[in-house]
Amino acid sequence: MSTPEPLDGSTPTSTSPPDRSGFDAGAQSAKSSALRKRRAQIKEELSQLQRDFVDTFDRAKDSDNPALSGLRVDWFLRALPGVGPTKTTKILERLGINPRATIGGLRINQRTAFRRELVELTKNLQPRRTIGRLVVIAGPTAVGKNTVISEILKARPEIEMSVSATTRPPRPGEVDGVDYYFVPDEQFDALVESGELMEWAVVHGTHRYGTPRGPVLRQQRAGKTVLLEIDIQGARQLRDGGEEALFIFIAPPSFDALAERLESRGTEDSDERQRRLATAVEELGARGEFDHVVVNDVVQDAAQDIVDLLEATTPRGD
Ligand code: 5GP
């Protein structure tokens, strides 16, 4: 239960006794509730055959993300069409696996046996491809992501852009709900705690940005391709969280070209440019984590490369 807001505007006091260890019980319980929500969603996607069982298992077994590695094996099996509690118990007994074990907690031989079983159980399942795909585009500062994306949207106007939430104030001409959802810090905190953000990050060391899950899911369920333009940290979170998406990295033709672009657009002072370039060095090192790297030398060519990629990688049945 949350502490009621005092009407005199003072800071709310917690009803629980102070904990000298620094352990924040409220934050912990919000975290576990977000985790439970995420796991329930993964199970729902599995049972709707919107994600692949073996692929999800492969990601979960080595993942650092507790939403994935903490998935219970009995839960996982029961998401399979036609596998109920009795069959689940029998399979786990035969494999010598405790039903309460998590995927991340399986021993090597158990993993091998469980995976073999999964391959067998899922070999005749037909994935339902009614759900639209997620495309994540990231790249270092000043690489020209926005211009490339505008060109992609001209060629493929049916693609939906996700609208992020941010704590940064709007710039002149920016519209709330169109460019971003501009939210105060407390609202952003609430979005994080409720698990409503698929990913979020502090970008350029100042403001927070995050992708609201609800609108993305609704558009995907309507069969739409949804495009996310986010920073590298956010893309990494989605990948580590086992999100099924096409991850595209936009790279500059060279580091010098990036520095020149940053300087010529003239929107940052010299200190800020140095800071962004230092981040860019790190970000460029992340290119290997993406499914595809597209070099933005000529904007139209980069956009066309991405449109081609979308077509070439469209799952059959879409
Ligand atoms: P700007 O403030 O210039 O609009 O955006 C700054 C950076 O924030 C961009 O490089 C963009 O990639 C990143 N960004 C925008 N939305 C999101 C989001 O939802 N999540 C993350 N992680 N980064 C975002």
Side-chain angles (χ1 to χ4, degrees):
M1 213 174 65
S2 60
T3 312
E5 192 92 37
L7 292 175
D8 61 1
S10 61
T11 315
T13 45
S14 169
T15 46
S16 25
D19 183 337
R20 286 188 209 95
S21 67
F23 174 79
D24 182 343
Q28 282 300 322
S29 92
K31 216 169 163 184
S32 27
S33 125
L35 262 181
R36 274 198 301 277
K37 213 164 148 187
R38 178 71 185 125
R39 287 196 192 120
Q41 194 197 358
I42 293 176
K43 192 182 173 202
E44 167 76 11
E45 289 169 10
L46 285 167
S47 57
Q48 294 292 317
L49 304 187
Q50 288 166 348
R51 54 160 67 229
D52 185 81
F53 278 83
V54 179
D55 181 60
T56 305
F57 174 78
D58 285 342
R59 290 169 193 240
K61 66 183 169 39
D62 300 316
S63 176
D64 293 333
N65 183 326
L68 273 179
S69 60
L71 283 170
R72 269 178 40 182
V73 286
D74 58 344
W75 225 58
F76 200 79
L77 284 180
R78 285 176 60 178
L80 274 159
V83 180
T86 317
K87 195 163 176 187
T88 298
T89 310
K90 277 193 189 145
I91 295 173
L92 291 174
E93 263 173 21
R94 179 162 43 79
L95 301 180
I97 297 175
N98 181 332
R100 300 184 71 81
T102 59
I103 293 182
L106 292 178
R107 294 196 303 272
I108 299 282
N109 58 339
Q110 291 176 322
R111 285 181 179 189
T112 314
F114 191 84
R115 189 180 193 282
R116 199 177 300 130
E117 190 76 26
L118 267 186
V119 171
E120 196 54 35
L121 286 166
T122 56
K123 71 177 181 210
N124 294 322
L125 290 181
Q126 296 293 325
R128 287 186 204 135
R129 290 290 187 193
T130 49
I131 186 155
R133 69 213 305 225
L134 200 59
V135 179
V136 176
I137 295 192
T141 186
V143 77
K145 284 171 283 182
N146 287 333
T147 13
V148 172
I149 288 173
S150 306
E151 287 300 311
I152 297 172
L153 295 178
K154 276 189 209 156
R156 297 281 304 268
E158 74 283 7
I159 293 179
E160 293 285 344
M161 277 301 290
S162 153
V163 178
S164 300
T166 182
T167 56
R168 142 164 110 57
R171 296 185 186 128
E174 284 184 330
V175 178
D176 187 35
V178 175
D179 297 289
Y180 283 103
Y181 293 103
F182 297 99
V183 299
D185 267 312
E186 312 75 63
Q187 197 177 338
F188 200 94
D189 289 342
L191 289 171
V192 172
E193 276 165 27
S194 64
E196 173 53 26
L197 299 180
M198 299 172 68
E199 59 74 36
W200 70 271
V202 176
V203 181
H204 301 313
T206 41
H207 296 292
R208 291 183 289 173
Y209 297 77
T211 307
R213 191 186 299 282
V216 170
L217 265 183
R218 271 194 295 282
Q219 284 158 348
Q220 280 190 282
R221 287 193 177 133
K224 304 253 185 172
T225 295
V226 186
L227 206 153
L228 267 52
E229 190 266 285
I230 58 177
D231 87 320
I232 306 282
Q233 309 168 75
R236 192 173 279 148
Q237 282 172 38
L238 291 178
R239 202 210 48 209
D240 292 349
E243 204 63 56
E244 290 211 9
L246 184 67
F247 291 92
I248 301 175
F249 184 91
I250 302 193
S254 65
F255 184 76
D256 289 347
L258 193 71
E260 270 167 36
R261 268 185 213 169
L262 191 59
E263 181 147 10
S264 66
R265 78 179 183 185
T267 41
E268 289 80 17
D269 62 24
S270 148
D271 279 357
E272 180 61 20
R273 279 204 302 273
Q274 286 316 313
R275 215 151 53 85
R276 288 191 179 214
L277 283 177
T279 314
V281 174
E282 261 174 55
E283 291 181 332
L284 285 169
R287 57 196 286 156
E289 299 172 24
F290 285 71
D291 298 323
H292 301 279
V293 176
V294 169
V295 176
N296 182 20
D297 195 354
V298 176
V299 173
Q300 280 75 12
D301 293 350
Q304 189 58 50
D305 285 351
I306 295 179
V307 170
D308 292 346
L309 261 178
L310 292 179
E311 271 153 29
T313 57
T314 297
R316 271 173 297 150
D318 257 16

